Amino acid sequence: MARRAHALRVDRIRCDGYGMCAELLPEMIDLDDWGYPIFRSNAIVPDRLVEHARRAVDVCPVLALRLESVIASAPPALAGHGAGHRRG
Amino acid sequence: MNSQLLWFATRGAGTVSLILATIVVCLGILTVLRWQTADWPRFLTAELHRNLALLSIVFLAIHIVTAVVDPFANMGFLSAIVPFVSPYRPLWIGIGVISIDLGLAVVVTSLLRAQIGEQAWRVVHWAAYGAWPLAVLHSIGAGSDAGAIWMLGVDVVCIGAVVLAVIWRLAAAHRNRDELAGVADGTLLPPPPRAGPGRAAFRDR
Amino acid sequence: MTPRLLAGPEFELGAERLASHLERLGPLPDRAATADLIGTLETSGLLGRGGAGFPVGKKWRSVAERAGGGGAVVLVNGAEGEPLSHKDRALMSLRPHLVLDGAELAAAAVGADEIVLYVGAAHAGAQRALGRAVAERAATSRPRSVRGSATGGASSNARLRPIRQVPIRLVQPPHRYVSGEESAAVHFVNAGDARPVTTPPRPYERGIGARPTVVQNVESLAYAALIARFGDDWFRSVGRHGSRGTALITANAPSEKAVVLEVELGATVGDVAAMVEPAIRQDDVQAVLLGGYFGGWLPAHRAWAFPLDPGALKEQGLSFGAGVIGFLSAQACPVRTTARIATYMAAQSAAQCGPCVYGLRSIADAATRIARLTPLGDDLANLERWAGQVRNRGACRHPDGAVGLLTHALETFGPEFYQHQRGRCSHSAQVAPVTRTGRVA
């Protein structure tokens, strides 16, 4: 069943490794060894995290992070649940 | 409204606005430096920077409105908009007006950032380095408290904070530029990354 | 195998002149024959030869649809930034009219009103040859007409475009590895900056001057020029082990030399080794690099019988790429060779994306320390971890290619890397050179 959803996209050239997105959305974004964002398995944002995702998009000092409207063909992955321990 | 009260409000709101603006400038510099501690994440610096900027605009508005409305000062609405036409200390008030204009440009473009694009936003944001010192000059030249010990203390702390922050920023940019100098033409490999504040930003090239 | 692209006068005579080209191959086909050139290219199965291997017909069709009859641009990609590849500069230097034929056909097929020749600044011979060839064609007094946009359906099929009047210009991007990437090429023409940009939109949607742009490798265009004359059946009439068609490859022998050869698809690595003078013996080789610095390694005993076919290579997790084959001498140390390549790839980063800049550099540093037998404790483990972290996290595919090669090296030369991490190397000090001079066989 198709549904409207949001996907995280990052402009890799604009991204300058500020790392604030990973602080605000640790359920979906990790930082690599050099401070740049890695998305965990699925870029589709679960509904319960959409507000946090918007905040992460707003805070990025270089506007590298975007939320894109997509059509998701299945309910969002449960990737956030088990691994959703907030980092310090 | 008692003119005395209005004058207190003008001076108080102006001072608070200046202190907030100083903190905002420092937070902006700390954002670019990627400063953080175990308890203070980077997003906090960025969000405070924005929120305090908006708050300082509120106090700025109070400062302007109470000054304009005050019958004793006899300044009139136009003095707040057009520089150097104020009957009272026109030079110093005029400097304040220019400072407001630059500051408003920074805030408005920041609110509309997604619409105007990164380049335009960045160019106007540099005007902040013009708005702040003009605000300080305005407070020294136009303010009736300028000679008071407490006001001098405020001025010294504000100026000192921004000067230190700017020095820190220039030192980091200098170091980063050296490190990244050879990257683009491939003659020198980029250095292994340093963790922590001041880490190289590509824009420093 | 009868040469196709490399048929014609002796190579010592230099670039083939227009008269010889026309005498040998005849004129470009007339209107009727090119009307369905895109369809012909699709059935021929011709794949792009710049590295990505995208079907040529499909690319032209996408651009033609978007251009809707006019306003597209053709970019002839002769950047050849891959140091082990020499085929493109050889083709441009020796058979420039084949390349220009292909460009003009592409322009007619997609509805382009401009051709840009994108030739790396270091390829002086190629630039001279192409420049002279363009002048030769301009001097002839036979304007020809070819129907614009060759897609079926909604297109301005009433419009005729004189094929010779499409303006051609030559640009020279800096000689760097990423200059040949398609978005980098378009970016250079638009803004003088040969670095990749964030996609989408891709060039076939919005390219030069925001118009739909075909970015096509010179070899692909040359083959298109022959297929337009002789047909898709002709192209598919040769091939081995079930493959169909031919391709140029650059064979890098263990010595300094690189040799450009035209081979049937499906020929094995061993076949290619025998075509080089002197022939390369399997005993002298420990591993074979397939696909250049964007490719991967196979041990010699597995590589020798391996067919050079895009499909078969893909199944192995390798790619045909730009048709580069490197033969690693049995005496060379594969760890030091990998470290040299990793260092080169790190230095060739466009330096726009953090994971590429810092990741490739960290990898190069660790690989070099391992190669020099002075590793840090977790260097080898870090190499594997970083290879996973860097993949797919740049704006272009450069970091992917670099870590792809590294990953293959760790698989193929696992024992050697293990030894090096413990301070031992079983090879002599010889290291395979990173760049080479080349010639055509």
Side-chain angles (χ1 to χ4, degrees):
Chain A
M1 180 190 86
R3 46 183 284 284
R4 169 140 282 139
H6 297 278
L8 277 178
R9 300 277 180 250
V10 62
D11 182 328
R12 301 270 177 209
I13 295 179
R14 275 200 195 178
C15 176
D16 216 351
Y18 280 91
M20 298 178 191
C21 53
E23 288 172 345
L24 286 173
L25 199 56
E27 295 90 344
M28 298 187 67
I29 304 179
D30 269 329
L31 293 180
D32 65 15
D33 285 12
W34 308 284
Y36 290 85
I38 302 182
F39 293 167
R40 301 212 192 162
S41 50
N42 195 346
I44 305 286
V45 183
D47 288 343
R48 69 187 173 88
L49 291 178
V50 167
E51 277 316 302
H52 293 286
R54 279 196 218 283
R55 189 175 174 191
V57 167
D58 279 341
V59 84
C60 179
V62 291
L63 291 183
L65 195 64
R66 276 185 357 256
L67 268 184
E68 214 173 69
S69 267
V70 295
I71 308 290
S73 56
L78 296 177
H81 278 293
H85 303 292
R86 279 206 167 259
R87 302 276 187 88
Chain B
M1 245 268 147
N2 177 328
S3 181
Q4 184 83 319
L5 201 59
L6 283 172
W7 200 236
F8 282 142
T10 301
R11 290 151 58 197
T15 306
V16 170
S17 180
L18 178 66
I19 293 173
L20 286 175
T22 301
I23 298 175
V24 167
V25 169
C26 292
L27 286 174
I29 291 176
L30 285 179
T31 301
V32 168
L33 287 173
R34 295 157 168 77
W35 183 80
Q36 66 180 3
T37 69
D39 298 314
W40 185 289
R42 294 176 185 176
F43 77 81
L44 191 50
T45 310
E47 289 189 340
L48 256 186
H49 170 77
R50 292 183 195 175
N51 294 340
L52 291 184
L54 294 174
L55 190 61
S56 89
I57 298 288
V58 170
F59 281 94
L60 185 60
I62 296 173
H63 171 73
I64 296 170
V65 166
T66 53
V68 158
V69 158
D70 185 352
F72 184 79
N74 197 26
M75 283 216 275
F77 186 52
L78 216 55
S79 311
I81 308 215
V82 182
F84 311 123
V85 303
S86 160
Y88 171 75
R89 301 195 189 181
L91 173 65
W92 301 105
I93 301 289
I95 285 176
V97 171
I98 297 175
S99 174
I100 299 171
D101 290 337
L102 292 175
L104 275 180
V106 170
V107 170
V108 168
T109 49
S110 294
L111 290 170
L112 296 175
R113 190 179 185 185
Q115 283 71 34
I116 65 171
E118 182 71 7
Q119 272 304 101
W121 172 84
R122 187 167 288 275
V123 165
V124 175
H125 219 74
W126 279 97
Y129 282 119
W132 180 85
L134 289 178
V136 173
L137 282 175
H138 164 81
S139 104
I140 292 174
S144 48
D145 293 305
I149 298 290
W150 64 270
M151 192 61 212
L152 280 174
V154 168
D155 286 332
V156 163
V157 169
C158 286
I159 294 173
V162 171
V163 164
L164 282 176
V166 168
I167 289 176
W168 188 4
R169 174 72 182 107
L170 289 174
H174 184 73
R175 217 175 38 229
N176 294 342
R177 198 167 296 118
D178 283 344
E179 285 178 355
L180 292 172
V183 168
D185 60 19
T187 55
L188 176 72
L189 291 182
R194 271 178 294 112
R199 213 268 324 278
F202 293 155
R203 295 177 200 284
D204 284 342
R205 286 194 297 242
Chain C
M1 185 203 96
T2 322
R4 296 171 154 191
L5 296 183
L6 298 182
E10 295 293 319
F11 300 136
E12 291 75 28
L13 297 174
E16 184 176 32
R17 312 307 293 270
L18 182 59
S20 161
H21 170 82
L22 291 174
E23 190 189 314
R24 196 165 56 83
L25 296 169
L28 268 179
D30 64 14
R31 207 167 69 212
T34 57
D36 197 34
L37 179 57
I38 290 182
T40 306
L41 288 173
E42 283 171 331
T43 41
S44 75
L46 178 66
L47 298 178
R49 298 276 188 249
F54 193 85
V56 174
K58 191 169 169 188
K59 180 182 283 193
W60 291 18
R61 191 178 286 286
S62 310
V63 175
E65 279 168 0
R66 270 166 187 76
V73 182
V74 172
L75 187 143
V76 176
N77 195 345
E80 196 160 56
E82 163 81 57
L84 293 182
S85 177
H86 286 77
K87 65 167 177 87
D88 288 341
R89 68 196 87 169
L91 189 60
M92 290 185 282
S93 304
L94 296 172
R95 303 287 179 263
H97 285 288
L98 266 182
V99 175
L100 292 176
D101 275 357
E104 291 182 359
L105 287 169
V110 307
D113 44 27
E114 191 183 356
I115 294 174
V116 178
L117 303 178
Y118 187 80
V119 183
H123 307 322
Q127 286 167 27
R128 272 197 307 273
L130 279 171
R132 272 198 230 117
V134 170
E136 275 190 298
R137 289 155 96 99
T140 64
S141 56
R142 288 182 292 136
R144 299 189 51 245
S145 295
V146 173
R147 227 181 248 287
S149 173
T151 53
S155 61
S156 56
N157 40 16
R159 178 135 54 116
L160 295 176
R161 178 174 299 105
I163 196 172
R164 292 260 189 261
Q165 285 182 15
V166 178
I168 301 181
R169 59 178 165 131
L170 177 67
V171 301
Q172 291 129 26
H175 182 63
R176 289 183 57 77
Y177 196 86
V178 293
S179 294
E181 198 268 343
E182 61 169 11
S183 76
V186 166
H187 195 205
F188 181 78
V189 175
N190 281 340
D193 179 3
R195 291 182 303 171
V197 296
T198 305
T199 53
R202 305 205 72 98
Y204 75 89
E205 301 170 280
R206 275 171 62 89
I208 295 175
R211 289 134 64 198
T213 304
V214 174
V215 178
Q216 198 77 70
N217 177 266
V218 294
E219 183 191 341
S220 318
L221 290 170
Y223 272 121
L226 292 181
I227 291 171
R229 285 175 169 86
F230 304 127
D232 51 351
D233 288 336
W234 163 85
F235 182 71
R236 297 178 66 76
S237 64
V238 295
R240 302 191 204 171
H241 300 119
S243 312
R244 292 275 158 250
T246 53
L248 290 179
I249 61 159
T250 313
N252 291 271
S255 64
E256 296 280 323
K257 287 279 189 290
V259 177
V260 176
L261 302 161
E262 190 166 19
V263 302
E264 296 176 59
L265 290 178
T268 65
V269 171
D271 293 337
V272 170
M275 288 166 76
V276 175
E277 298 260 342
I280 301 168
R281 299 170 344 120
Q282 186 176 345
D283 292 338
D284 294 334
V285 174
Q286 68 177 287
V288 177
L289 178 65
L290 292 166
Y293 291 163
F294 253 55
W297 298 95
L298 275 182
H301 62 90
R302 285 187 57 206
W304 227 250
F306 202 94
L308 293 167
D309 170 72
L313 286 161
K314 206 165 174 183
E315 278 169 28
Q316 274 298 122
L318 297 165
S319 96
F320 192 86
V324 170
I325 304 180
F327 294 90
L328 185 67
S329 142
Q331 288 84 36
C333 174
V335 180
R336 293 187 67 178
T337 305
T338 302
R340 291 273 305 262
I341 297 175
T343 303
Y344 172 82
M345 292 296 266
Q348 291 289 310
S349 164
Q352 303 189 102
C353 306
C356 181
V357 173
Y358 294 113
L360 295 193
R361 164 64 183 221
S362 302
I363 286 172
D365 279 354
T368 303
R369 283 193 297 267
I370 293 174
R372 294 197 180 140
L373 304 176
T374 55
L376 297 175
D378 44 8
D379 268 345
L380 192 52
N382 276 339
L383 276 186
E384 297 184 9
R385 195 160 61 82
W386 289 330
Q389 277 193 348
V390 170
R391 188 167 291 116
N392 220 17
R393 294 187 51 240
C396 73
R397 300 270 78 84
H398 182 78
D400 299 1
V403 303
L405 186 62
L406 172 73
T407 305
H408 277 106
L410 291 173
E411 275 172 25
T412 307
F413 307 121
E416 284 87 346
F417 273 91
Y418 184 86
Q419 295 252 345
H420 270 252
Q421 181 74 17
R422 277 144 194 79
R424 292 191 299 276
C425 175
S426 51
H427 295 265
S428 66
Q430 182 184 350
V431 176
V434 171
T435 57
R436 295 156 177 268
T437 54
R439 63 177 175 84
V440 185

